[in-house]
Amino acid sequence: MTETLFSKIIDREIPADIVYEDDQCLCFKDVNPQAPVHYLLIPKKPIDRLTTAEADDQELLGYLLLKAAEIAGQAGIGDAFRLIVNNGPGAGQTVYHLHIHILGGRAMGWPPG
Ligand code: AMP
């Protein structure tokens, strides 16, 4: 997998406003926030999109979901938040390193755009 903006953030080659980190994942503020709280949670493992994740990644993907909920709680939006994974260009994916958007702090419309 080629280097991406997010692998450079993991490697500290470009700066980010990091809110959480452990051995498996990194969470930082989205540079173009769409809500008062808008974080991106990424695995350190370079998976380019959800559909290229493999059976071996099952535990990691579950870990990320649980971690997203924990981080939302710590951000004060634990009762109302939205998680988004854009998969592929048609869905709006622009960075090809798997990421979960964590959004909250305002009312969320449905259906999403
Ligand atoms: P997606 O469109 O789902 O691939 O989401 C990519 C997200 O990365 C967008 O919401 C961008 O605003 C965000 N983004 C791009 N560059 C950076 C950066 N250097 N630091 C933080 N967020 C970024």
Side-chain angles (χ1 to χ4, degrees):
M1 193 174 133
T2 53
E3 207 175 44
T4 65
L5 206 54
F6 292 172
S7 66
K8 289 180 183 172
I9 288 176
I10 292 169
D11 293 339
R12 304 302 200 270
E13 288 172 23
I14 61 172
D17 197 343
I18 293 169
V19 299
Y20 178 83
E21 180 171 24
D22 64 25
D23 58 330
Q24 297 193 76
C25 67
L26 185 70
C27 187
F28 50 93
K29 294 183 182 178
D30 194 296
V31 79
N32 182 25
Q34 302 302 311
V37 176
H38 186 175
Y39 296 164
L40 300 170
L41 176 61
I42 66 174
K44 289 189 171 173
K45 179 178 178 182
I47 298 168
D48 66 2
R49 58 166 96 179
L50 189 58
T51 46
T52 61
E54 297 173 342
D56 279 355
D57 298 316
Q58 183 169 318
E59 194 174 329
L60 173 61
L61 295 176
Y63 180 78
L64 290 172
L65 268 187
L66 291 172
K67 191 54 73 178
E70 186 184 312
I71 290 170
Q74 284 164 1
I77 57 166
D79 284 337
F81 62 90
R82 181 171 289 172
L83 304 181
I84 295 173
V85 177
N86 293 323
N87 186 88
Q93 185 173 6
T94 58
V95 180
Y96 284 81
H97 182 119
L98 178 66
H99 50 283
I100 300 175
H101 294 260
I102 304 171
L103 293 144
R106 65 165 169 80
M108 297 284 166
W110 192 263

